[in-house]
Amino acid sequence: MTEFQIVPGTLYVVATPIGNLGDMTQRAIDVLSQVDLIACEDTRHTQKLLTAFSVKAKTFSLHDHNERQRQEQIANWLEEGKSIALVSDAGTPLISDPGFHIVRGLKQQSLPVVPVPGACAAITALSVAGLPTDRFAFEGFLPSKSGARQKVLGELKNETRTMIFYDAPRRALDTLQDIVEVMGAERQVVIARELTKTFETIKADSAGNFVDWLSQDPNQLKGEMVLMIEGYQPEPDSISAEVEKTLKLLIKELPPKKACAIAAEIYGLKKNKLYDLTLAMKW
């Protein structure tokens, strides 16, 4: 295998373990060992990781509160030929972690940004959830207050893709109660807690049953959590609001039977079902 060599003037976005240090890649170790500087979400936290792999490097802080102020300095360092690694506290940087403004700014300046892939809590959880993985939506952190959280959940109620969230376990019970309130007690949910760590827990159940489980076992309200919700499953042959809207527009210009035939072809529905709808609707 060819020995890895850092390219001067490059920012490396480096994924780190989400728990188990055994998930650290050799390439990540090589990059962190060779770069001139490491941008860390928390320098104290990252120092423990670097010590575990005998990596000696200069670190500096890059977090939500100083990211924009760091942009110009990082660009200047790269233009001087320095190499920099960007890491978060755990997992892949920028995925609900700092770094977006830095990466976007550097790309706009045509400065090189190289990914060093590895662990990501959202993808790790999805891979073992048993929910559909062909289409999914990562929604980041849910709001901390119930009213705002219910509003977000309401907007996603009819989302057909698997939804992935990060959530603080201390408010997981409140979140599940809001899911029951907005999406229904039968909506399927998977909780992945403390992934790759000693007390890893991956559990699938209905939202209603989760409320009972979390109420009875407060130990599950600790650590880091990925919350996944099964996408909305419409009833076969159900007619959506979008179909109704299209049908109304067509009927303004065409006879009902012709309008139903066109709408049926567009949406793959039965003409008779749409015609019955036109008879029942108040135009």
Side-chain angles (χ1 to χ4, degrees), residues 92-111:
T92 301
L94 279 76
I95 310 302
S96 285
D97 280 327
F100 162 69
H101 298 291
I102 298 294
V103 170
R104 182 170 67 173
L106 296 179
K107 300 291 283 187
Q108 289 172 344
Q109 293 176 255
S110 298
L111 291 169

Side-chain angles (χ1 to χ4, degrees), residues 12-13 33 35 93 150 158 162 185 222 225-226 255 271 275:
Y12 293 87
V13 180
S33 299
V35 291
Q150 287 195 16
N158 294 324
T162 298
K222 300 176 182 178
M225 179 178 288
V226 181
K271 289 185 292 185
Y275 190 69

